[in-house]
């Protein structure tokens, strides 16, 4: 090697960096985490929304978040996005639900129901980690999707409805609720 040439590769072999220890939620912590979310969501389901009195007859809102109960929607398997489709799909709201526990895990919106979950979606990783932890402890889980098809076609209106439902149900896989529930699966 010439004396004036810089060496990009040191002759001394560096020691490999140590991997960070992966922390795994205990079975007790998982059950407590789920119980807190279930308790909150059950109270939301049982509490009737406050009805505001009006002086005028107003037409009811097309998409009232208080009229949407994801746990009453028809469930489809999480493999729904792998099924062949002849169109990109329709505008909708979708919910990821652990029907074994009665938990609403995620709320999302899309204008392309047949395409949204193809490819990368961070929620897929959360679901996989959530299910893996349940399998580790021998706990039952049944993660499914449910769709609400009466969503606004207008993107802003659909996203506003989605946000209202995320805040209403405090779905733990939505980033808006990570501060409240933590982010144990992401």
């Amino acid at each position: 090697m010439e004396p004036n040439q810089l060496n990009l590769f040191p002759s001394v072999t560096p020691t490999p960096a140590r991997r960070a220890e992966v922390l795994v939620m205990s079975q007790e912590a998982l059950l407590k985490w789920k119980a807190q979310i279930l308790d909150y969501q059950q109270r939301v389901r049982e509490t009737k929304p406050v009805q505001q009195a009006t002086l005028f007859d107003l037409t009811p809102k097309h998409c009232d978040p208080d009229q949407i109960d994801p746990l009453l929607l028809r469930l489809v398997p999480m493999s729904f996005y792998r099924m062949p489709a002849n169109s990109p799909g329709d505008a909708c709201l979708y919910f990821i639900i652990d029907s074994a526990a009665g938990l609403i895990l995620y709320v999302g919106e899309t204008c392309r129901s047949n395409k949204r979950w193809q490819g990368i979606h961070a929620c897929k990783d959360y679901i996989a980690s959530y299910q893996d932890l349940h399998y580790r402890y021998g706990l039952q889980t049944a993660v499914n999707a449910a769709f609400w098809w009466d969503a606004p076609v207008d993107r802003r209106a659909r996203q506003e409805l989605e946000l209202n439902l995320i805040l209403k149900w405090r779905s733990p896989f939505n980033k808006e609720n990570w501060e409240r529930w933590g982010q144990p699966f992401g």
Side-chain angles (χ1 to χ4, degrees):
M1 180 163 57
E2 294 182 20
N4 291 336
Q5 186 171 350
L6 295 174
N7 186 0
L8 295 176
F9 305 99
S11 57
V12 179
T13 307
T15 56
R18 290 189 343 193
R19 292 186 137 212
E21 186 179 329
V22 177
L23 298 176
V24 175
M25 182 186 269
S26 70
Q27 180 175 354
E28 180 183 332
L30 174 62
L31 292 172
K32 182 179 178 185
W33 181 83
K34 287 174 61 175
Q36 289 173 334
I37 298 165
L38 181 63
D39 179 59
Y40 173 81
Q41 290 180 352
Q42 287 292 347
R43 280 187 278 128
V44 168
R45 289 186 87 213
E46 293 166 2
T47 305
K48 296 293 178 210
V50 176
Q51 298 295 324
Q52 184 174 347
T54 62
L55 296 174
F56 308 102
D57 287 334
L58 299 174
T59 55
K61 238 179 155 179
H62 166 71
C63 299
D64 182 358
D66 291 325
Q67 300 302 315
I68 302 170
D69 185 342
L71 297 175
L72 297 179
L73 299 173
R74 187 177 70 83
L75 298 175
V76 297
M78 281 306 301
S79 60
F80 71 90
Y81 63 92
R82 294 187 186 120
M83 296 177 193
N86 57 4
S87 76
D90 299 309
C92 70
L93 291 171
Y94 59 90
F95 304 88
I96 305 303
I97 298 170
D98 181 346
S99 54
L103 287 177
I104 302 160
L105 299 172
Y106 185 82
V107 177
E109 64 81 24
T110 184
C111 64
R112 299 170 44 146
S113 57
N114 291 335
K115 299 289 184 189
R116 176 63 183 106
W117 277 69
Q118 292 177 349
I120 297 171
H121 194 301
C123 192
K124 286 181 185 178
D125 294 334
Y126 302 148
I127 293 166
S129 297
Y130 178 82
Q131 289 177 313
D132 288 347
L133 197 56
H134 281 75
Y135 296 143
R136 173 184 280 228
Y137 298 129
L139 300 173
Q140 184 180 6
T141 182
V143 178
N144 298 287
F147 294 90
W148 190 71
W149 296 104
D150 202 22
V153 174
D154 176 67
R155 182 174 181 239
R156 284 188 184 195
R158 198 173 55 251
Q159 287 176 334
E160 180 183 338
L161 181 59
E162 173 199 31
L163 181 59
N164 286 332
L165 289 164
I166 289 169
L167 298 175
K168 174 183 176 177
W169 295 106
R170 295 190 181 160
S171 43
F173 289 3
N174 288 97
K175 65 180 179 276
E176 293 85 351
N177 296 311
W178 289 349
E179 191 172 309
R180 179 179 183 92
W181 305 120
Q183 195 180 355
F185 305 105

